[in-house]
Amino acid sequence: MKLQKANALKGELTVPGDKSISHRAVMFGALAKGTTEITHFLQGADCLSTISCFRSMGIDIDNDGRSDRVLVHGKGLHGLTQPKDTLDVGNSGTTMRLMSGILCGQPFPVTMTGDDSIKKRPMGRVITPLTQMGADISSLAGTGCAPLLINPVKEALRGINYPSPVASAQIKSAVLLAGLYADSKTSVTEPYVSRNHTELMLGMLGADIKTVGTTAIVEPNPSLHGEKIVVPGDISSAAYFIAAGLLIPGSEILIKNVGINPTRDGILRVCRLMGADVQVLNPRNTDSEAVSDLLVRHSELKGTEIGGALIPTLIDELPVIAVMACFAKGKTIIKDAAELKVKESNRIDVMAHNLTMMGVPVTATEDGMIIEGGYPLKGAVIDSKLDHRIAMSFAIAALAAEGETEILGAECVNISYPGFYNDLHGLIQ
Ligand code: S3P
């Protein structure tokens, strides 16, 4: 994909449904009794992997793939059946980690694998707490990575209080989901609060689940019931249009129906710190999730420091925030974000390398990066490493850079945003 410097972006758009919420709606809908009707479901490759895994375990799911309405005909907590083959999660870490928690409580053995990227990502972080609960889960190659083999336990899993070493909603959710099958209550305490969609949605479907500070606590064996779930637009997808609107002179973009759950809205807080003109309009609630429209106007940005409790609330937006930092006056420091190294690619190395190729002085650090803003970006050949968030971040950088940029592996945006390039081109004047 080749992209050139763009004129102003103007108009309005609705971004696809939230990836984290779409995954959970399918998974938890499958564990509930009755039908769960999902609207504004994300038809991205990751969420389709979740659908295909649950279909393999006997759950009927109506999805024509064109509309964004999906019906999950759940069979209750004990309604899954043994799949014929290895479950394939594709590129999706959320599918593999959350499903690990669910599968540990099933009365059948199952193996799970995925693509080359997922086979390099750390699964020890879920294997450790699930093993403490008495689960029989192992990495087949002994590397702590997929493929994973999960065997049934003889008796129930044990409820535990797990102090998670990292703020990760995937670890937290895996343990809480296993907790549904445990003999007593289960809790997870995080260093900082990570996204809480699991807690909100399980509560809505009838689980006894609560949060005290940075601890989430779930009671076992609930009777979950199907619900209507309206998925908000994904703030992680909106982030690319926020950045485009801020960076390209003359731009004004209205992004409608964006989820602004406080455990996910860190990019809005960073926009404020950088002096960006982003207005939060018409805030409202769908189900238990907060939603609003975002009006973004081209702005002069200033560098800032991003770390601590803010990091889990914007972890997936850091690549595009790094692009924003290139256009800011002064230095931006991103720290406490070592988790970036174990995403779909090593996002510290890949961002630092690619931004350097475009002429930006960037220093990669152990837990983030330091970016000197204010240097003009020049077009380059960018290897996305098949990481959707890298491809989209550099598409935005390309529109604001001199000359032409070529993005290798650009089609990987299908993981979370199949219509991304169309939506982007639709706004360019
Ligand atoms: C996700 C949690 C985050 C995030 C990922 C989706 C989720 O991962 O990066 O894209 O849906 O729970 P971690 O839990 O590993 O931080």
Side-chain angles (χ1 to χ4, degrees), residues 324-397:
M324 283 162 53
C326 299
F327 293 84
K329 193 161 178 264
K331 194 184 282 188
T332 294
I333 300 171
I334 299 172
K335 60 179 192 179
D336 305 324
E339 279 294 295
L340 288 176
K341 294 193 216 167
V342 291
K343 295 296 177 187
E344 286 84 328
S345 69
N346 178 334
R347 289 181 179 161
I348 294 182
D349 286 358
V350 176
M351 285 307 298
H353 174 77
N354 284 331
L355 287 176
T356 306
M357 299 283 289
M358 295 185 89
V360 182
V362 186
T363 312
T365 63
E366 262 314 293
D367 65 350
M369 56 197 116
I370 301 167
I371 299 159
E372 290 289 344
Y375 291 79
L377 263 68
K378 50 182 198 298
V381 177
I382 299 297
D383 187 349
S384 70
K385 299 284 179 189
L386 299 182
D387 180 336
H388 55 133
R389 305 222 179 271
I390 299 292
M392 289 188 275
S393 298
F394 281 94
I396 303 308

Side-chain angles (χ1 to χ4, degrees), residues 97-114:
R97 297 207 179 102
L98 269 61
M99 247 177 19
S100 296
I102 295 171
L103 294 175
C104 285
Q106 305 306 317
F108 50 80
V110 55
T111 47
M112 247 193 307
T113 193

Side-chain angles (χ1 to χ4, degrees), residues 81-83 85 87 103 106-111 136 149-152:
T81 52
Q82 182 171 1
D85 297 311
L87 295 175
L103 294 175
Q106 305 306 317
F108 50 80
V110 55
T111 47
D136 183 350
L149 169 64
I150 300 175
N151 280 312

Side-chain angles (χ1 to χ4, degrees), residues 19-20 24 94 97 125 167-170 195 315-316 343:
K19 182 155 79 70
S20 294
R24 286 162 173 79
T94 307
R97 297 207 179 102
R125 53 179 55 203
S168 157
Q170 295 184 354
R195 65 193 65 193
I315 187 73
D316 293 339
K343 295 296 177 187

